[in-house]
Amino acid sequence: GDGIFPITDLVAQGGRFGCRSTPGEGASFWLELPVQQTEERSIVSRLPTVAVDTLTLLRRAMESLGEIVEITDNAGKLLYVNPSFERLTGYTSGEALGRTPGALLRSDAHPPEFYAHVWETVSSGRVWRGRLISRKKNGGLLPQDAMISPVMNLEGAVTHMVAVKRDVSERVELESQLKLLERLSAGVAHQVASPMTTIQGSIDLLTEQQTDPDTLETLQRVSQAAARVEHVVGQLRDLAHPLASR
């Protein structure tokens, strides 16, 4: 049947050119175009200026995105990567094209079952969304929030796959630091809370037994200081359990 081609390629089959999103997630559009056959491919012989302008704009938009954009065929081999792919992974388009993202970027952060699930989801015509950790050319890890979508022809067969991946390295680092702070806060709160309970109890007992004004004033100041420490301990507990404190 007639194929659905990447928006970056001025190619048609059967006199048609167009693109369509996953069923239920967007509209289709088609242009009826005369084509001129060659030995290697069908080339659009006359493309309306407005279509050329639109395609040029769409390509520039993908190349300007801060997110990674990958387009593969239905076997998973890369046909297109944008400049953000090169910048963030360290691989040039020449090194990437013709290879699969799995062979190029797979890390040990995910088990084989994870990659099998992603492939099964997209190759069956569904969109996959999730956190993906890739390995860069220099060996470092690249955490990404990713969406991988199938592109299907009119018969509903998957012909291409499009991935958009956002670098979340800074967010992951911040989350790691917050978790460390939460653990430290929980430890400090636990270590301080029990002794402070004992101290406050002793102050209360001494206050009941004392009649000397100066001694009572001193005990009151100590009690107020202990109360401030307990307040800080309470704040540390809240920091250690942010969801519970909301």
Side-chain angles (χ1 to χ4, degrees):
D2 297 333
I4 309 291
F5 289 84
I7 57 177
T8 55
D9 199 2
L10 303 184
V11 177
Q13 283 186 346
R16 310 180 79 190
F17 177 90
C19 65
R20 185 175 75 175
S21 62
T22 303
E25 296 189 3
S28 304
F29 68 86
W30 289 94
L31 296 173
E32 296 292 341
L33 301 170
V35 297
Q36 179 180 0
Q37 300 291 330
T38 68
E39 293 182 359
E40 297 182 354
R41 62 196 304 187
S42 300
I43 303 176
V44 176
S45 59
R46 292 192 300 276
L47 191 65
T49 301
V50 64
V52 173
D53 291 344
T54 300
L55 292 169
T56 300
L57 176 61
L58 290 173
R59 177 154 192 154
R60 287 177 179 172
M62 287 199 297
E63 292 180 346
S64 300
L65 283 175
E67 289 82 6
I68 288 173
V69 178
E70 303 167 357
I71 299 176
T72 73
D73 60 18
N74 59 3
K77 292 183 179 181
L78 287 163
L79 303 176
Y80 170 83
V81 295
N82 70 341
S84 287
F85 174 95
E86 298 179 304
R87 175 174 57 84
L88 292 170
T89 69
Y91 289 99
T92 65
S93 60
E95 294 172 312
L97 299 186
R99 302 181 65 181
T100 66
L104 196 66
L105 304 171
R106 179 173 298 196
S107 72
D108 297 329
H110 306 292
E113 296 79 12
F114 172 86
Y115 294 104
H117 170 70
V118 174
W119 177 258
E120 189 278 331
T121 298
V122 183
S123 62
S124 64
R126 292 172 290 151
V127 177
W128 182 87
R129 295 180 178 86
R131 177 67 57 85
L132 184 64
I133 301 177
S134 299
R135 187 171 299 281
K136 298 185 287 187
K137 186 177 181 179
N138 64 9
L141 296 179
L142 177 63
Q144 304 147 98
D145 282 345
M147 181 176 71
I148 307 176
S149 303
V151 179
M152 293 179 282
N153 63 16
L154 295 179
E155 285 73 37
V158 175
T159 61
H160 298 81
M161 301 175 186
V162 180
V164 179
K165 304 174 180 178
R166 174 174 294 177
D167 178 17
V168 292
S169 300
E170 292 184 1
R171 184 194 305 173
V172 169
E173 177 63 23
L174 179 59
E175 290 172 351
S176 176
Q177 293 177 0
L178 288 174
K179 288 179 181 178
L180 176 60
L181 181 58
E182 290 171 8
R183 290 196 297 269
L184 290 174
S185 299
V188 172
H190 176 73
Q191 293 296 323
V192 175
S194 296
M196 287 308 305
T197 299
T198 302
I199 291 171
Q200 188 62 58
S202 299
I203 294 172
D204 293 340
L205 180 61
L206 289 172
T207 299
E208 293 175 359
Q209 296 174 348
Q210 290 292 326
T211 58
D212 179 67
D214 291 338
T215 302
L216 289 172
E217 183 180 353
T218 299
L219 289 172
Q220 185 179 14
R221 289 198 299 269
V222 174
S223 179
Q224 291 171 346
R228 289 194 293 271
V229 172
E230 288 182 333
H231 177 69
V232 172
V233 170
Q235 290 179 320
L236 289 173
R237 284 200 184 103
D238 290 342
L239 183 61
H241 306 285
L243 295 178
S245 65
R246 291 181 182 177

